[in-house]
Amino acid sequence: MKRELRVIRDHGRQYIKDLRKQTVSDRFRGLPVISDMITPKEIESVSALCPVNAIDSKSGAIDLGRCAFCNECALLLPERIRFLNDYRIAANKREDLIIRPGRRDPLRLDESVVRKDVRSLFRKALKLRQVSAGGDNSCEMELAATGNVNFDFGRYGVEFVASPRHADGIVITGPITENMSRALELTYKAVPSPKIIILVGSDAISGGIFDGSPALNRSFLSDHKTDLYIPGNPAHPLTFINGVMDLLGL
Ligand code: SF4
């Protein structure tokens, strides 16, 4: 017994006490802030530089659903673009991921489009089946981390399960390749209704660097409504956790 107590004392508290207020390194790239002083010439140059076409060449807005968070734009124009370490960047409307010059507000879900059945049924327990639809295992690893001893998202009853029959929704990572499109549809159909869809990472949200590739088949997304978008490349566990907590009203 003494030995166990000594181990606990030496290890300290491993879990994050408050998943809402946990601070992360200043170097973490979360919500971007774009100065409204940015000029058309600067927008043109920074838009040409972006490797994933995430910056609109006219307005200068950054699409978080495409952004690879590589920081190249902020390095080119440090006076105009910077990334805050605010990891709460989930949205429930695709258009809300477009961050325009001059925007200062934090990114939050639009409560008016949150489904009532999601909160009444899943608030106390939400089981999710993860589908890697051509993913590179980066977002998948971050999602696995949400259940580890540090993040311990299971404390809210949110867990990943092996079978879609036991799930309340699916979490999609990867750009959705043709090879995975049928498996994705079958997995979704196997989840009992009502069910939710969560997209994690820029590949799942927009196709990322694979956008436009003939190897993709993203028709699933036009056939079914997405409930939550979690940006990142890969997405941070706290971005996923806080996005799901917002969706459930926790
Ligand atoms: S941080 Fe995002 S918007 Fe900026 S250059 Fe990289 S991918 Fe493009």
Side-chain angles (χ1 to χ4, degrees), residues 29 46 49-55 62-63 66-74 81 83:
R29 292 188 282 279
V46 85
L49 173 89
C50 179
V52 287
N53 299 320
I55 306 179
I62 293 179
D63 180 358
R66 304 187 72 87
C67 179
F69 297 85
C70 66
N71 206 36
E72 289 297 322
C73 53
I81 301 174
F83 284 83

Side-chain angles (χ1 to χ4, degrees), residues 4 6 22 35 43 49 52 61 116 127 135 158 188 193 200 207:
E4 278 79 16
R6 204 177 313 126
Q22 179 64 27
S35 167
I43 291 174
L49 173 89
V52 287
K116 285 197 175 63
K127 307 301 170 193
V158 183
Y188 180 69
S193 294
V200 175

Side-chain angles (χ1 to χ4, degrees), residues 37-189:
M37 307 283 280
I38 193 166
T39 66
K41 201 168 163 41
E42 288 171 333
I43 291 174
E44 202 181 308
S45 61
V46 85
S47 159
L49 173 89
C50 179
V52 287
N53 299 320
I55 306 179
D56 185 79
S57 58
K58 291 197 168 55
S59 67
I62 293 179
D63 180 358
L64 290 186
R66 304 187 72 87
C67 179
F69 297 85
C70 66
N71 206 36
E72 289 297 322
C73 53
L75 289 173
L76 182 74
L77 299 174
E79 304 291 312
R80 301 287 190 245
I81 301 174
R82 66 193 168 95
F83 284 83
L84 307 177
N85 66 345
D86 180 2
Y87 50 75
R88 288 186 66 177
I89 50 176
N92 54 354
K93 288 190 328 211
R94 177 68 181 88
E95 60 270 29
D96 286 352
L97 296 178
I98 313 286
I99 307 298
R100 296 190 165 73
R103 183 199 164 104
R104 291 282 183 276
D105 302 335
L107 196 48
R108 295 292 181 262
L109 301 198
D110 182 341
E111 289 288 323
S112 67
V113 295
V114 175
R115 284 164 43 198
K116 285 197 175 63
D117 55 352
V118 169
R119 289 199 174 160
S120 59
L121 292 171
F122 306 139
R123 195 179 163 98
K124 290 191 176 162
L126 175 69
K127 307 301 170 193
L128 297 164
R129 165 70 204 202
Q130 208 270 300
V131 182
S132 179
D136 57 10
N137 213 27
S138 55
C139 279
E140 291 83 347
M141 283 201 295
E142 302 296 347
L143 288 173
T146 63
N148 70 19
V149 68
N150 301 113
F151 296 102
D152 186 25
F153 202 16
R155 74 182 91 170
Y156 290 103
V158 183
E159 289 169 322
F160 291 99
V161 290
S163 167
R165 297 279 187 213
H166 302 158
D168 305 308
I170 57 170
V171 177
I172 305 170
T173 52
I176 312 183
T177 55
E178 176 68 55
N179 286 351
M180 278 301 294
S181 60
R182 184 166 152 69
L184 176 60
E185 186 67 44
L186 288 173
T187 306
Y188 180 69
K189 277 192 181 145

Side-chain angles (χ1 to χ4, degrees), residues 1 61 109 223:
M1 183 67 177
L109 301 198
D223 296 342

